Amino acid sequence: MADKSAVEKVVAETEELPKAIVRRVVKEKLSQLSDDGDISVLREALQVFSESARIFIHYLSATANDICRESKRQTINADDVFKALEEIEFPEFIGPLKASLEESRQKNAGRKSALKAKEANKKKKESPVENGIEDKQSNGKEMDGAEDKQDNGNEMDEDEGDTHGNN
């Protein structure tokens, strides 16, 4: 019997939402609604907020899962969640959530394009050297020995500065 209660406690703890995040969300919202901005929330109230949010997430995810299965798919997508919100009668959440999702997608697209640009610049810098062999006929001229030594020194600097192990 003791083992069963210990397992239930572990399962309950893994399903709990992080208390600090719940506290922050509740305090931020209440400070927006309050004139004085200094509102105390008892630990017991935070537990109820947390449990309510957890139950809502379970209900919403089960409904979205049903919608996904009706479509004969195995992966829940954002549209399934939006339809689930309508089905459980929370359509007022859909507009703000779609706007938030679009903002998130644009941020990610910006990050991806910045990463691609960074990779392209890195490849441009590395283009004179292929597989560790220098292209000695760049610009139609053969490099002399002094230039070879200088380039090799630069290659060492680049390798030494590469903290990610990429060569």
Side-chain angles (χ1 to χ4, degrees), residues 38-81:
D38 188 29
I39 295 180
S40 296
V41 181
L42 294 176
R43 183 180 303 160
E44 189 176 76
L46 287 172
Q47 287 175 331
V48 173
F49 277 120
S50 180
E51 183 65 10
S52 299
R54 188 185 68 78
I55 291 168
F56 180 77
I57 291 168
H58 280 209
Y59 186 49
L60 181 60
S61 61
T63 305
N65 187 48
D66 291 344
I67 291 168
C68 180
R69 285 183 182 211
E70 287 172 4
S71 299
K72 296 183 182 349
R73 291 180 287 109
Q74 293 182 350
T75 304
I76 298 172
N77 62 35
D79 287 332
D80 296 329
V81 178

Side-chain angles (χ1 to χ4, degrees), residues 19 130 150:
K19 292 176 181 138
E130 289 185 23
Q150 183 180 3

Side-chain angles (χ1 to χ4, degrees), residues 93-153:
F93 289 2
I94 296 171
L97 288 172
K98 282 185 176 181
S100 176
L101 179 62
E102 184 59 33
E103 182 180 320
S104 176
R105 285 177 176 165
Q106 287 180 358
K107 282 182 184 176
N108 286 338
R111 288 181 190 144
K112 285 181 182 177
S113 64
L115 183 62
K116 284 182 181 179
K118 186 177 178 181
E119 288 293 323
N121 286 337
K122 186 177 177 182
K123 286 182 180 179
K124 285 180 183 178
K125 288 179 182 178
E126 294 175 354
S127 65
V129 177
E130 289 185 23
N131 298 327
I133 301 171
E134 289 186 16
D135 181 9
K136 294 189 179 203
Q137 294 183 351
S138 58
N139 296 330
K141 290 194 245 176
E142 184 104 24
M143 290 187 208
D144 65 42
E147 288 175 343
D148 285 346
K149 289 177 186 173
Q150 183 180 3
D151 286 343
N152 286 338

Side-chain angles (χ1 to χ4, degrees), residues 5-17 51 54:
S5 66
V7 170
E8 288 174 353
K9 184 177 180 180
V10 170
V11 170
E13 287 176 2
T14 59
E15 289 186 354
E16 278 184 19
L17 297 174
E51 183 65 10
R54 188 185 68 78

Side-chain angles (χ1 to χ4, degrees), residues 79-95:
D79 287 332
D80 296 329
V81 178
F82 296 139
K83 289 175 187 173
L85 284 166
E86 277 185 31
E87 193 169 306
I88 64 173
E89 299 180 11
F90 284 97
E92 65 273 13
F93 289 2
I94 296 171

